[in-house]
Amino acid sequence: MSDPHPPYLYPPYRSTPLRAPSQPLVVPKYGPDAIELSSPVFGHAELGLLDNDLTKQHAGEPLGERIVVTGRVLDSGGRPVPNTLVEIWQTNAAGRYIHLRDQHPAPLDPNFTGAGRCLTDADGRYRFVTIKPGAYPWRNHHNAWRPAHIHISVFGTALSQRLVTQMYFPGDPLFAYDPIFGSIPGEKARERLVARFDMDTTVPEWALAYQWDIVLGATPVED
Amino acid sequence: MTQPTPAQPMPAQPTPSQTVGPFFGYALPYADGSRVVPEWHPDAIRIHGRVLDAEGEPLPDALVEIWQTGPDGQVAASYGAFSRDGHDFTGFGRCATDAAGHYWFSTVKPGGAAPHIAVIVFARGLLRSLATRIYFPGEPGNAADPVLSDVPADRRDTLVAVREGDRSYGFDVHLQGEQETVFFGV
């Protein structure tokens, strides 16, 4: 299976040259050990009931287009990964993160923080209610804009499956100009980060929906 | 991807990685993320250090996660890393670097012949995460450890923490440069 991940060094993304390791990764002959073949576990009791609804974390409704984002977390054999932690974070509808260092002159939304989490169910499914995030400018190059995206973090069952990535929205005209999206080798691999509009999951009079499955890498024992 | 749940699981292509970006600070770090065990735990040790780039500049926007066995060498199966009760050992810690690129954990030394802690580093500018290990100095088992032995001898020291006192260890992560930390692939 070819490596679907971006290289560490990708000069068009200007933060990589000083941060990418220059030495090749060391692949131990005897493979990982028990700790790396396992993964931290999280329980329902330590997550809030509304942690997966980013529109209900404040007194009022956030501005923007309400969406339901669902999908499954799968292993490389296509098997569901149940009870694994999924965390997301994103801008508000105007393209502004609540993070203090985000100085993009777009409004903050007092009713939207933009962070959520949930555990996958027995079938590996996750579900979030949120607001469609906005595009925003960054200083990588002249007139650089990030396509709208939701950051997502997943654990899996082995440390080697630990994945942080970004989900994008279909048909974004900014894809062609974004070096972070463009860092992924191959169009097919890039397409795997683009969610599908999901009419079946929309809620009439209330929310649109997107569907996106996450496939984790092989655990060392599978190879 | 558009079909309902298939009856037979089909091999699937992995989802590519993307950078954690600079703006995870309000989302991923959490209260007591650094406290795998509380500082008052009788066996608590501190592991801390900086994440540095090729020019030795600290990264103010990195996220360090650790995952380890308990002193008995067993993999923890306890949840509760998000709501520490000071008692159950979860084995998991998460710490964002501060403005000086510094991270810290309060934890216990793991068990095993060559005790080590698995580490994952995320940062703006890292399009995929980096995996490394923290070993402990002066452990007789280090010399025979199969993974440490696989690492070129002149780079082994990058994986061994520096003892700073009875209960404190330093471990800097050099992403690049002369002292570049050894990172592992699977």
Side-chain angles (χ1 to χ4, degrees):
Chain A
M1 195 175 286
S2 65
D3 187 349
H5 299 298
Y8 288 105
L9 178 61
Y10 189 73
Y13 175 22
R14 282 177 37 211
S15 298
T16 67
L18 292 180
R19 295 184 170 194
S22 61
Q23 304 278 346
L25 301 182
V26 172
V27 181
K29 270 199 291 290
Y30 300 100
D33 66 6
I35 196 71
E36 287 147 340
L37 292 171
S38 59
S39 176
V41 290
F42 300 89
H44 285 282
E46 55 183 333
L47 271 59
L49 286 176
L50 293 174
D51 279 5
N52 72 332
D53 189 340
L54 286 70
T55 68
K56 292 226 166 37
Q57 296 172 350
H58 298 275
E61 290 285 344
L63 291 168
E65 186 182 321
R66 189 185 294 110
I67 57 172
V68 180
V69 180
T70 65
R72 291 190 303 159
V73 178
L74 304 168
D75 69 15
S76 58
R79 293 170 292 254
V81 181
N83 298 313
T84 199
L85 182 69
V86 179
E87 297 165 279
I88 67 169
W89 69 104
Q90 61 169 87
T91 70
N92 65 23
R96 177 85 184 261
Y97 288 97
I98 207 164
H99 195 287
L100 283 174
R101 291 177 64 228
D102 184 1
Q103 296 299 310
H104 174 34
L108 286 168
D109 183 342
N111 289 314
F112 192 73
T113 299
R117 56 193 185 181
C118 72
L119 291 173
T120 55
D121 69 12
D123 296 319
R125 291 181 194 283
Y126 71 87
R127 180 178 189 273
F128 290 100
V129 178
T130 185
I131 293 294
K132 195 171 181 185
Y136 60 87
W138 59 313
R139 291 180 180 163
N140 188 70
H141 55 274
H142 175 65
N143 201 19
W145 291 78
R146 294 295 331 278
H149 58 274
I150 295 177
H151 293 270
I152 192 153
S153 159
V154 189
F155 276 80
T157 57
L159 211 57
S160 59
Q161 292 184 315
R162 182 86 179 87
L163 179 71
V164 168
T165 188
Q166 302 177 25
M167 184 200 97
Y168 298 90
F169 292 85
D172 197 313
L174 292 169
F175 286 156
Y177 306 97
D178 180 40
I180 293 181
F181 183 72
S183 69
I184 298 162
E187 195 179 336
K188 284 210 157 128
R190 289 193 288 277
E191 281 171 5
R192 296 205 292 275
L193 290 187
V194 182
R196 168 181 78 85
F197 176 69
D198 180 13
M199 195 65 188
D200 291 344
T201 306
T202 57
V203 182
E205 317 287 323
W206 194 71
L208 293 173
Y210 291 87
Q211 189 270 345
W212 183 58
D213 287 346
I214 301 157
V215 181
L216 303 179
T219 58
V221 280
E222 287 177 77
D223 287 335
Chain B
M1 202 157 85
T2 59
Q3 297 88 9
T5 311
Q8 282 295 330
M10 297 283 286
Q13 294 291 322
T15 303
S17 169
Q18 294 271 266
T19 179
V20 75
F23 297 137
F24 56 80
Y26 67 96
L28 296 180
Y30 59 94
D32 292 335
S34 281
R35 292 185 175 85
V36 183
V37 304
E39 292 95 322
W40 46 259
H41 187 289
D43 299 320
I45 58 171
R46 178 176 75 144
I47 294 178
H48 73 125
R50 293 189 301 164
V51 182
L52 303 157
D53 74 8
E55 295 175 343
E57 290 297 316
L59 273 65
D61 46 16
L63 183 76
V64 180
E65 289 183 347
I66 62 170
W67 171 234
Q68 62 167 96
T69 64
D72 57 0
Q74 297 300 305
V75 176
S78 298
Y79 63 74
F82 279 152
S83 54
R84 311 271 193 206
D85 65 3
H87 179 73
D88 286 345
F89 184 75
T90 66
F92 177 72
R94 176 185 279 173
C95 184
T97 54
D98 64 16
H102 185 251
Y103 74 90
W104 67 274
F105 292 100
S106 171
T107 186
V108 288
K109 193 191 276 191
H116 57 271
I117 294 174
V119 181
I120 300 190
V121 181
F122 303 91
R124 169 176 68 83
L126 286 182
L127 285 161
R128 53 197 291 189
S129 60
L130 286 167
T132 187
R133 284 181 172 190
I134 300 173
Y135 284 85
F136 291 84
E139 293 290 334
N142 282 354
D145 184 73
V147 170
L148 209 49
S149 312
D150 253 7
V151 171
D154 60 343
R155 299 189 66 203
R156 249 169 242 167
D157 282 353
T158 70
L159 298 175
V160 183
V162 176
R163 191 186 180 96
E164 296 176 332
D166 266 359
R167 297 188 175 274
S168 184
Y169 295 88
F171 186 85
D172 287 344
V173 177
H174 295 265
L175 299 181
Q176 201 194 110
E178 265 177 43
Q179 298 167 274
E180 182 175 319
T181 302
V182 169
F183 299 106
F184 294 105
V186 178

